[in-house]
Structure formats: C-alpha cells, structure tokens
Amino acid sequence: MKVLIVTAKLASTLVKRESAKSKHEIRVHVVNTPIAAFLTPKKIVKELRNHDINGVYNEDSSDKHSDLHDRFDLKSYDIILTPGLIRKDVSHITNETGIKTYKGPTDAADLAIVLEMIDKLDLSPNVPADKLIEEELRKHALLFIENFEQDKENKLKLLKKPENILVGSLPVGQDFPMRVLAEIANAPFLTDSELLERAQYFVRSGADMVDIGMVAGETLDERIPGMVKLLKNNLDVAVSIDSLNPVEIKSAVESGVDMVLSLDHGNCEEVIPYLEDKNIPAVILPTDFSKNWVPETVDDRVKSIEELRQRCNKIDVLADLILDPINSRSIVDSIMACYKFKEKNREPVFFGVGNVTELLDSDSTGVNALLGGIAMELGASVLFTPEESGKTIGSVKELSITSDMMFLAKNRGSIPKDLGINIVLFKDKKKPQQIIESIDVPVVGGEENYTFKHDPAGSFKIFVEDGQIKAVHYLKMEPQIAIEGKTAKAVYDEILKRGLISRMEHATYLGSELERAEIASKTGKNYIQDFPLFKKIY
C-alpha cells in the first residue's frame, strides 16, 4: 500500500522514524506548522495541492514550493493519514482530493503499529487510529468471553469435572472465569430500598453473585427471608449469605439462597443436613470459631480444611484458606496454603481479596489486579470483596475486569498485557514521548495573585451526584436553576448558552472546577468545591 502521511514540524522526526519501520511505501509530508493540532482539513487540502506535481502551481517557477524534491504525485497514493490530534472530520480531504483520508494515531509513537495493522483496520475520518485499535482489541476480547459463556454444550461438559460446580445457575470453578462475589456488609441494618440499591450497584459493577453480610455476634434470622426474597426477585445473579450462625443459615437455606458462607468445624454438623436437603453449596473454613481455634501453620490450614471437606462430602464446597491481611498473620502463608491445597485437591478455591484491600492504605486498583492474578495462578474460582472504605470504592468493577483479563491471559497462554481490556486508571500504559517545542519568546512565571470579584451574573455551587456533575446557579443568594451533565463541557456549554456568567476570571474558575468534578466522577474521588482532589504521597 502506498501511504501519504501528513504531519507538522515538531512531530516530524518521530513520525519519520516510526513510519520507516513499515513494509508499506510511505511518504511523510511535513507541513510548515509547528504543532499537528493546529492543522485543519482545509489547510491540509491547500498544502497537498501546492505540492502535487499535477497541481495548478506546478509551472509557477516563483512558487516557494518549486523544489521538485518537495513535490509528489498525489493521485498515486492509496490513502492519506492525518494526525489523530486534528479535531475536525477529515472527510473534507477525501472529497477534495479523491484520495481516501483517515486519522492516524494521536501519539506518533503508535504509528508503526497502525501501519502494521492498516490492512485489517477499518480506519475512520473521525476517530484516531489508536483508539480504533484499542476498540478492536477490546471487541475481540469481550467476544471471546461472551462466546465462552454462551456455549451451553461446553458448559455442561465442564460441569462434569469435580473442580467445577453450580451456584444457583452460575457455573463456578477452575475452567470458568473467576466469579466476583460482592458483599453487602451489615445487610440487616439496611432498609429494603438501601439493600436493593446496594445490590443493584454491585451487579452494574460486574458482580456475578451478591452476598448478604450478616452481623457477627447477633442472631437476626427474622430479617433473612425478606432480604433473600427481595434480592432474588429483583436480581438475575446468585445470592449467598455470610454467617456462621446455624439459626441464620437455616433461615437462609429455607428462604432459597444459592450458597452459604461459611461452614467450619464448629457449625458443620448442625448445618450440613439443611444444605444436603436443598443441594446448596457452601464455603468451608479451616477454623473452629465455636472454640476460638484458628490453625497456626500452612500445613495446619490445609489439613484442617481437608478434614472438613471429608465431613461435607455430600455437598459441593468451595475452600476458603483465609487470605490474611499483610503483616497480620501472614499473607504469604495464606497464599502458600492455597497453593498446597490445590496441589492435592480439585475443589474450587474461594479468595477473600477484600481482607487485603480494606486493610491496606493504597488505591485498590493495582492491588485488586495483582491479587486477581495471584488468584488465577492458584486456581481460585471466586473473588470476594465488600466496598466498605473510600479507598476500595470500585473494587467490584476492578475485580470483574481483572477476572476477564486473567481468563484471557490464561486461555491465550500470555501475560495480562495488551489484551484489549485493562484497569490502568491513574497512569498511562506507555511512557510518554515528549516532543519539546523550541520557542523564542519571553517566559513569564505564573502567580496566583488575581483578586476575585463577584460576578453580577451570579455564582455556582458545584457537586457530583450519582455520576452526574451538577452546577446550581445562584443569584443574590437564591438558587435559580440546576444544570447537570456527565461531562464538564456539557455543563459549561449550557451555562454559556444561557448567559449565566459574565466575568473572565469567573469563567476560568468555573471551567477548572467543572473539570475537577468530572475527574472525581470518573475516578470515584470525593469532590468538594474549591478543595484539591489529590493529596501528596508521603
């Protein structure tokens, strides 16, 4: 393929270097403009005509573009690639030149991979090529998982293996993606509307199962039938209960839960008959909390849970070796216990990720991804978490994406990188290729010294609610109208359209605050007007 790439001066060196790696016949045309984002479709059309050997300027010896080395036969090219940073649709170039024109990548460093895939990509005059590659990889990744989940024949075949079980109608086990179980902590203390809202939030976040978290040391079995009925009637996912109390477990089983958390040596004799009768699987622990006994060593954990497994041989179980928080007992020992158990046993393993994330002062994103990867290598089948602290908000979604990533990596025999899905949130995957512009102008240091003056058009109170940015307009201390939108631009465009702002410093302040509100809504940060979003790392 013969490709003409149009770029600006600052990026030209990088563009030439990356395009030189291509097997295609490439010509890079550098426009006499410093920054690619300054180019427009009309300007590019004019530039191409000035340099086309068949153009009207060809015989003008006084033309500044008369250098033959700088001219080309425009009609000989199959496609034209413009910088991805151009904001406007580049179809105008196609219409004016007759050559199919598309947007290249936003970052010139991605040009080599775009050119490598150019025969397979459905390039666009609107969307930068690198975004199309991401979307194509994502589409293929999600399609693979969807096809796997919808293959009923394969599902039935896999469920015949002892390492796979059914929780309700959900297949769970080593051959399936790790299932995410989200716990509604202290569920009996919530109203019905609060309980359902919390559960629906978890399902929207990607939870495969929702857990009714009971209250340790209490017997609140009278609340269980209503909670189970409410969730089962309104959710299309499995529902479990988290309790060691036999009275509560009996009530939950009779109410129709799909799984019980948890059985140990202290309650199993009393609880097993209920589970056998209804054929309900249970999570088993290597403990005896009725005697306050917890195994001390790795081998003790494995031996204890294997013994309990024998006592529960008439029901399906998931083994929870108990993932310890960092530097409590030992997270390493608990991981080793999972590994040793899986070496000799085929039952699904339950992995309590929330035990670590809730008790570690770190953003949950990377921690969840790492623990999800470790869980996959250990052969774990369920990832369990609540979202009880600010730093763990979004954990269910993070684990859901992590599960998909690890399932793809496992099936492809690859590392969990460049799969088409990721949870890189606060940083970028690639090291930035910084292009420095050499400018010969005075450099003035900025100072925060502008005195604020009240805008006679009014003021705004900004907040984030349910993922929406809201700006309430006040005039003379009285609210006049509330404008809401998903993006800062949607809100301030409406503010401008309605003429609700009249001073330049107020406009710049408002733009800055709305952008911070949008960042907060996307990242889960707490937004408070006039206060910084991010703190220093100490």
Side-chain angles (χ1 to χ4, degrees):
M1 186 179 290
K2 200 171 178 183
V3 183
L4 176 63
I5 300 175
V6 179
T7 189
K9 289 198 295 186
L10 278 177
S12 60
T13 302
L14 183 56
V15 169
K16 288 175 180 176
R17 187 182 76 203
E18 293 301 309
S19 61
K21 301 173 183 177
S22 174
K23 63 183 179 181
H24 299 288
E25 185 179 340
I26 310 292
R27 181 187 180 101
V28 178
H29 178 70
V30 182
V31 182
N32 189 27
T33 298
I35 301 171
F38 290 171
L39 292 173
T40 64
K42 286 185 178 180
K43 185 168 185 175
I44 290 173
V45 168
K46 183 178 179 181
E47 179 78 12
L48 295 177
R49 284 176 174 166
N50 279 345
H51 290 79
D52 183 9
I53 59 172
N54 301 306
V56 295
Y57 298 94
N58 188 39
E59 297 178 3
D60 183 358
S61 59
S62 64
D63 179 44
K64 63 181 179 180
H65 299 302
S66 59
D67 183 354
L68 291 177
H69 293 292
D70 204 23
R71 292 180 178 273
F72 46 83
D73 182 0
L74 184 58
K75 294 295 182 184
S76 69
Y77 289 94
D78 298 304
I79 66 169
I80 299 169
L81 286 183
T82 73
L85 291 169
I86 293 178
R87 291 192 175 188
K88 292 186 176 181
D89 185 324
V90 298
S91 298
H92 175 73
I93 304 172
T94 301
N95 297 336
E96 293 295 314
T97 64
I99 312 297
K100 291 179 180 177
T101 304
Y102 306 106
K103 286 189 178 182
T106 50
D107 187 341
D110 290 326
L111 192 54
I113 190 168
V114 169
L115 291 170
E116 183 182 336
M117 298 178 66
I118 202 165
D119 297 326
K120 303 170 187 175
L121 278 176
D122 188 10
L123 292 168
S124 166
N126 289 300
V127 183
D130 54 314
K131 303 301 180 188
L132 291 173
I133 292 174
E134 287 179 14
E135 189 54 38
E136 193 67 18
L137 289 172
R138 175 180 166 77
K139 192 192 310 178
H140 283 295
L142 295 179
L143 184 61
F144 175 84
I145 296 169
E146 183 183 351
N147 288 341
F148 176 87
E149 295 283 23
Q150 292 182 354
D151 189 341
K152 294 180 181 178
E153 188 177 331
N154 185 50
K155 189 182 294 185
L156 291 171
K157 178 182 172 184
L158 293 174
L159 282 169
K160 292 177 181 177
K161 299 167 68 174
E163 55 262 48
N164 302 316
I165 64 172
L166 273 177
V167 176
S169 59
L170 178 70
V172 173
Q174 195 168 333
D175 291 309
F176 296 94
M178 292 180 289
R179 305 307 189 182
V180 178
L181 175 55
E183 181 190 29
I184 304 172
N186 298 315
F189 294 156
L190 302 179
T191 65
D192 283 355
S193 60
E194 289 172 336
L195 179 70
L196 184 57
E197 183 181 343
R198 188 71 172 154
Q200 289 172 333
Y201 158 72
F202 282 144
V203 173
R204 288 195 305 271
S205 298
D208 302 291
M209 301 181 275
V210 172
D211 181 64
I212 299 171
M214 299 303 288
V215 183
E218 302 269 359
T219 300
L220 300 169
D221 55 301
E222 73 282 354
R223 285 280 288 126
I224 291 172
M227 291 191 294
V228 174
K229 182 179 179 182
L230 179 71
L231 297 184
K232 297 281 282 184
N233 285 347
N234 289 280
L235 304 179
D236 191 25
V237 298
V239 175
S240 65
I241 188 154
D242 189 357
S243 174
L244 282 164
N245 186 325
V247 175
E248 291 181 338
I249 292 174
K250 180 183 179 184
S251 177
V253 169
E254 290 173 347
S255 301
V257 292
D258 300 298
M259 184 169 71
V260 167
L261 286 61
S262 301
L263 271 63
D264 75 352
H265 290 282
N267 71 356
C268 68
E269 293 298 335
E270 188 174 351
V271 168
I272 286 174
Y274 312 142
L275 300 173
E276 284 181 22
D277 184 52
K278 301 285 187 179
N279 194 28
I280 293 175
V283 175
I284 58 174
L285 303 173
T287 58
D288 187 342
F289 282 114
S290 67
K291 298 177 180 177
N292 292 320
W293 178 81
V294 177
E296 292 291 331
T297 68
V298 171
D299 289 337
D300 285 344
R301 289 196 206 207
V302 177
K303 180 182 176 183
S304 174
I305 210 160
E306 286 177 337
E307 288 174 354
L308 183 57
R309 174 66 190 103
Q310 291 304 312
R311 298 172 72 182
C312 301
N313 60 4
K314 293 183 180 179
I315 61 170
D316 288 327
V317 300
L318 297 92
D320 182 2
L321 280 299
I322 306 177
L323 185 63
D324 291 322
I326 293 171
N327 204 34
S328 55
R329 293 167 67 82
S330 171
I331 188 173
V332 175
D333 279 359
S334 54
I335 290 171
M336 287 176 62
C338 289
Y339 179 77
K340 286 196 169 189
F341 175 82
K342 259 309 201 181
E343 271 189 320
K344 299 184 291 181
N345 301 276
R346 302 178 75 176
E347 283 77 20
V349 165
F350 183 96
F351 208 65
V353 177
N355 292 355
V356 178
T357 54
E358 292 287 350
L359 299 172
L360 173 66
D361 277 346
S362 171
D363 290 325
S364 63
T365 316
V367 180
N368 279 325
L370 178 61
L371 290 174
I374 292 170
M376 181 270 287
E377 288 202 9
L378 291 171
S381 300
V382 172
L383 303 174
F384 177 71
T385 192
E387 289 185 10
E388 282 301 289
S389 59
K391 63 181 182 287
T392 61
I393 290 173
S395 281
V396 170
K397 185 172 185 178
E398 291 161 11
L399 287 174
S400 176
I401 296 170
T402 294
S403 171
D404 287 345
M405 288 171 59
M406 300 308 161
F407 186 67
L408 285 167
K410 180 179 174 182
N411 280 274
R412 293 179 184 181
S414 71
I415 56 175
K417 182 177 180 292
D418 298 329
L419 298 169
I421 49 178
N422 65 72
I423 49 172
V424 179
L425 183 61
F426 293 103
K427 299 184 180 182
D428 292 315
K429 279 182 64 175
K430 296 176 300 183
K431 191 175 180 180
Q433 296 274 351
Q434 194 170 13
I435 300 172
I436 306 296
E437 182 180 3
S438 179
I439 52 173
D440 186 19
V441 295
V443 178
V444 179
E447 248 182 84
E448 295 184 16
N449 60 1
Y450 200 96
T451 304
F452 175 78
K453 293 181 181 178
H454 181 72
D455 189 339
S459 58
F460 290 90
K461 174 64 178 174
I462 303 166
F463 54 97
V464 175
E465 185 179 71
D466 297 329
Q468 292 272 357
I469 305 161
K470 284 193 176 180
V472 182
H473 180 240
Y474 283 80
L475 191 60
K476 295 180 180 179
M477 305 298 289
E478 291 294 326
Q480 304 296 310
I481 189 171
I483 297 169
E484 68 174 15
K486 279 281 186 186
T487 65
K489 186 171 179 7
V491 176
Y492 68 62
D493 277 357
E494 187 65 26
I495 288 170
L496 291 173
K497 186 171 75 176
R498 292 175 176 269
L500 302 179
I501 197 163
S502 66
R503 294 189 63 87
M504 181 67 75
E505 69 272 22
H506 191 198
T508 56
Y509 161 80
L510 188 65
S512 171
E513 281 300 313
L514 289 171
E515 187 65 25
R516 291 199 312 111
E518 182 177 340
I519 292 168
S521 72
K522 288 180 177 177
T523 60
K525 292 287 288 183
N526 186 31
Y527 171 78
I528 302 174
Q529 191 169 346
D530 296 327
F531 285 84
L533 282 181
F534 298 99
K535 299 177 181 178
K536 291 180 181 178
I537 299 176
Y538 293 99

